Amino acid sequence: MSVQQQSGEHGSVASRPREQWSGQWGFILSAIGSAVGLGNIWRFPGVAYENGGGAFLIPYLIALVTAGIPILFLDYAIGHRFRGSSPTAFRRLGGKAGKWLESLGWFQVWICIIIAVYYAAVVAWAASYFTFSFDLRWGDDTAGFFQNEFLQTSAPGFSAQFVPAVLIPLVLVWIAVLAVLGSGIAKGVQRANVIFLPLLVVAFLILVVRALFLDGAMTGLDALFTPDFSALSDPSVWIAAYSQIFFSLSIAFGIMITYSSYRNRKANVTAPALVVAFANSSFEIIAGIGVFATLGFFAFQQGVAIDELEGITGVGLSFVTFPAIVSQMPGGPLFGALFFGSLVMAGFTSLLSVLQVVSSAFQDKFGITARQASVRVGAALAVVSVLLFSTTTGLITLDTVDQWANNIGIVVAAIASTILVIWVFRKGPELAAHLNAVSTFKVGRLWQLLVGVLAPAVLLYMLIQRIIVLVTEGYEGYPLWYLAVAGWGTIAVILIGAITMTSLRWKHDPDDFTPWPSAQALKELSK
C-alpha cells in the first residue's frame, strides 16, 4: 500500500484517485462562482433597504463574522479532512458507531436535487430575457408579459400543459450544465467558472457604472444607504441579516463540503474561505449599488419616491421591474443584455455547484464516473425539471418548493450538522486542529463556540419562526392542499430520499479510509 493510499489521498483504497482542482485559484473562483448567485443580485439590495438601509450593514457584517464564516470553515474542514461527497464525509466523520450519519449527507444531497430542478428554470428564464432585451419584447406591460404571455401562468396545481417558450431554453440549460458536469472537476466545473466569473464581474461593473450616471441614481443610493439606526433594536432586522448571510454563502447543504474534498490534502483551507466570504459580500454590496441606482432612475422617470415602487426584490425585480426600466432608459437593450447576461452567468455557476453535490454523491456511492453520473442522474433530474417547471403552473410550483426547501430544508440541515458534529460526535477539536495543521489563518475555541452555540441558536429561532408563519398563515394565499403537497411534500421527499439512499449498498467500502493528518498527529501538533 502506498503512502498516499494510507493517508487517504485516494479517498478509498479500492476506488479511483479523487479528482482535484488544478490549483488554489481554480478552487477559489469556483467557490465564489457558487456563492455569487441570483440571490446576490435580486435579494440583498431589497433586504438591506427594508431593514435599516445603511445601518443594515452592521448586523450583516456581524452575521458574516459570527455565523457565515464559522460555518463555512466547518464545511471546508469536514470535506477536506474526510475527502468525500457529503454522505461519504459525514459517514467517515461518524466512525464505526456513527455510520448512520451518512443520512445527514444524503439529506443535503436531496436538498440540492430539489433546488437544481427549479433553479435551472430560473436560469432558462434569464436566458430568454437576455434575447428579449435586444428588441424589448416585453412591451409596456412587463408584468402582464411575464405572467400571461411568457409563462402563461395558471392557478395553483399541477398542469400538463407545456409552455414551449420555457421548455426549449430549459432543455438547453440542462444540456449545457450536464455537459460541463460530465467533463469532471478541473476540465468541467473549474473551467466554466474561470470563464464565467470574470465575465460576470466585468459585465456587472459596466452595468453599475452606467447606472450611476442615470438621472435619479443618487436618490436611489440615498434610499439604500441612508442609515436608520433605530432599526437595529428590531430583532427581525438581525434575523434578516443572519438569513441573508446564511443563504448567500452556499453553506450547510453540501456544496462547500464537496468542493473542499477536491482540494489537495495539504492545501490552505481557511485563508481561501475568507477570500470567498468577503468576495461574496463585496459583490452583494456592488449589486446593491447597481440595483438601487437603477431604481432611482425609474422612480425619477415615474415621478414617485423609491418607497412607492413595487417589485424591488426577487423574481418581480428581475422579470418585471427591470424590463420596465430597460424600456425607458437610453441604451436600454444593451443595459438589459448586461443585466440578464449577468443573471445567466451567476445562476449557471451556482447551478453547477448544486449539481456537483449530487454527482459527487452518486459517484462515491455507486463507483461511477462523472460522465456516467451526468448522463444517468442528471438526465433523470432534467426530465423532472421539465415536467414540473416548463408548464403553466411552473412559476407557482417553483415559488412554493423554493420556500420550503430553503427556509425549512437547509435550515434543518444546518442545525443538525452543527449540533451533531460539535455536541454529539464532539469533532470540534479535531476539525479545528485539522484546519490549523494545513492553514495559515488559525481557529480556536471561539470558532467552536460560534459553530456549536451561536449559529444553531440563531438558526433554530429562524426555523421556529418560519414554521409558525407557514402553519398559521399559509403562503401567498395558495390552497392548503397545494401547500401540503408542494410545500411540506418537498420536505417529505427529502427525508424519504435520504433514508432510501442511506439504506443502499456502497460499491466500494467508504470506511476503508484514514484521515490525514492522523488523530494522533493532530494531538501532537495541538500541544
Side-chain angles (χ1 to χ4, degrees):
M1 183 182 296
S2 72
V3 174
Q4 279 193 328
Q5 286 172 315
Q6 287 176 328
S7 68
E9 175 67 14
H10 291 184
S12 166
V13 291
S15 63
R16 295 180 301 278
R18 191 163 188 78
E19 288 186 274
Q20 290 189 3
W21 306 104
S22 66
Q24 178 149 291
W25 279 106
F27 164 74
I28 289 175
L29 289 176
S30 300
I32 295 174
S34 171
V36 173
L38 302 175
N40 296 64
I41 299 173
W42 75 24
R43 189 173 189 274
F44 171 80
V47 170
Y49 170 70
E50 293 170 350
N51 290 278
F56 179 75
L57 293 179
I58 295 173
Y60 175 81
L61 291 175
I62 291 175
L64 174 65
V65 173
T66 59
I69 292 174
I71 297 180
L72 189 61
F73 282 176
L74 177 69
D75 277 358
Y76 280 4
I78 293 171
H80 192 250
R81 179 156 183 77
F82 298 102
R83 306 191 66 71
S85 62
S86 198
T88 308
F90 275 113
R91 181 183 172 109
R92 289 171 174 169
L93 183 149
K96 291 182 179 178
K99 293 181 179 179
W100 56 268
L101 200 56
E102 173 190 340
S103 58
L104 175 57
W106 283 111
F107 189 87
Q108 294 183 339
V109 171
W110 273 89
I111 289 173
C112 288
I113 289 174
I114 297 292
I115 292 175
V117 294
Y118 70 75
Y119 203 85
V122 183
V123 177
W125 297 351
S128 295
Y129 267 66
F130 173 78
T131 63
F132 297 165
S133 298
F134 295 100
D135 59 2
L136 305 180
R137 197 171 306 175
W138 43 72
D140 296 329
D141 181 10
T142 55
F145 176 83
F146 178 63
Q147 295 212 6
N148 303 326
E149 192 171 337
F150 176 57
L151 297 182
Q152 300 177 26
T153 303
S154 61
F158 298 97
S159 168
Q161 184 179 348
F162 292 98
V163 180
V166 178
L167 188 150
I168 294 171
L170 180 54
V171 170
L172 294 176
V173 166
W174 275 104
I175 290 173
V177 77
L178 294 184
V180 174
L181 280 176
S183 300
I185 285 294
K187 294 181 179 178
V189 176
Q190 177 180 308
R191 187 171 293 175
N193 279 282
V194 167
I195 295 171
F196 284 131
L197 191 64
L199 279 177
L200 168 64
V201 172
V202 171
F204 209 78
L205 284 177
I206 294 173
L207 184 149
V208 170
V209 171
R210 176 70 186 93
L212 289 174
F213 288 94
L214 293 170
D215 292 334
M218 292 306 113
T219 304
L221 295 184
D222 284 343
L224 175 62
F225 288 116
T226 299
D228 175 12
F229 290 109
S230 64
L232 299 182
S233 61
D234 184 351
S236 67
V237 171
W238 290 83
I239 293 300
Y242 277 88
S243 299
Q244 179 62 32
I245 285 294
F246 180 72
F247 291 124
S248 71
L249 273 177
S250 295
I251 52 179
F253 59 109
I255 292 176
M256 292 307 167
I257 290 177
T258 304
Y259 269 22
S260 63
S261 74
Y262 294 115
R263 298 215 64 194
N264 183 290
R265 65 182 181 179
K266 294 182 179 178
N268 192 338
V269 175
T270 53
L274 294 175
V275 174
V276 172
F278 285 107
N280 177 65
S281 292
S282 299
F283 191 91
E284 286 195 320
I285 293 172
I286 291 172
I289 293 171
V291 168
F292 267 80
T294 312
L295 289 175
F297 164 76
F298 192 47
F300 176 80
Q301 292 292 104
Q302 302 291 312
V304 300
I306 292 284
D307 59 6
E308 295 179 63
L309 295 177
E310 295 181 353
I312 61 171
T313 61
V315 171
L317 170 70
S318 298
F319 297 103
V320 176
T321 306
F322 251 87
I325 297 171
V326 167
S327 294
Q328 294 189 19
M329 65 186 299
L334 176 61
F335 192 87
L338 285 172
F339 178 76
F340 289 109
S342 297
L343 282 186
V344 171
M345 290 186 281
F348 191 81
T349 52
S350 295
L351 178 60
L352 273 177
S353 67
V354 170
L355 281 168
Q356 184 60 42
V357 175
V358 182
S359 173
S360 178
F362 278 82
Q363 288 179 54
D364 283 0
K365 184 91 181 188
F366 300 109
I368 58 178
T369 65
R371 181 169 300 181
Q372 289 170 327
S374 179
V375 172
R376 298 174 188 176
V377 183
L381 298 185
V383 171
V384 174
S385 176
V386 168
L387 289 175
L388 284 176
F389 301 107
S390 66
T391 66
T392 55
T393 52
L395 173 62
I396 294 173
T397 305
L398 187 153
D399 185 32
T400 308
V401 172
D402 172 69
Q403 178 67 208
W404 263 260
N406 273 284
N407 293 292
I408 305 295
I410 295 180
V411 178
V412 167
I415 295 170
S417 61
T418 52
I419 290 177
L420 288 171
V421 171
I422 301 298
W423 294 107
V424 177
F425 290 92
R426 297 186 178 277
K427 290 289 184 177
E430 179 181 337
L431 293 174
H434 178 86
L435 289 175
N436 292 338
V438 298
S439 304
T440 50
F441 182 88
K442 311 297 183 186
V443 300
R445 290 186 177 178
L446 177 60
W447 171 69
Q448 297 179 53
L449 189 68
L450 293 172
V451 171
V453 178
L454 179 66
V458 173
L459 291 168
L460 187 61
Y461 180 84
M462 286 167 49
L463 178 66
I464 293 172
Q465 189 184 49
R466 176 53 56 180
I467 289 176
I468 290 173
V469 169
L470 291 175
V471 170
T472 58
E473 301 177 12
Y475 181 65
E476 295 289 336
Y478 299 152
L480 290 179
W481 72 266
Y482 182 75
L483 297 182
V485 175
W488 296 108
T490 296
I491 303 302
V493 167
I494 293 171
L495 276 171
I496 294 170
I499 294 170
T500 303
M501 293 305 300
T502 304
S503 67
L504 299 179
R505 294 186 60 180
W506 289 75
K507 175 72 173 179
H508 304 293
D509 183 5
D511 304 318
D512 188 8
F513 168 82
T514 303
W516 182 91
S518 67
Q520 184 60 36
L522 289 180
K523 287 182 181 177
E524 293 176 0
L525 288 171
S526 300
K527 289 180 181 177

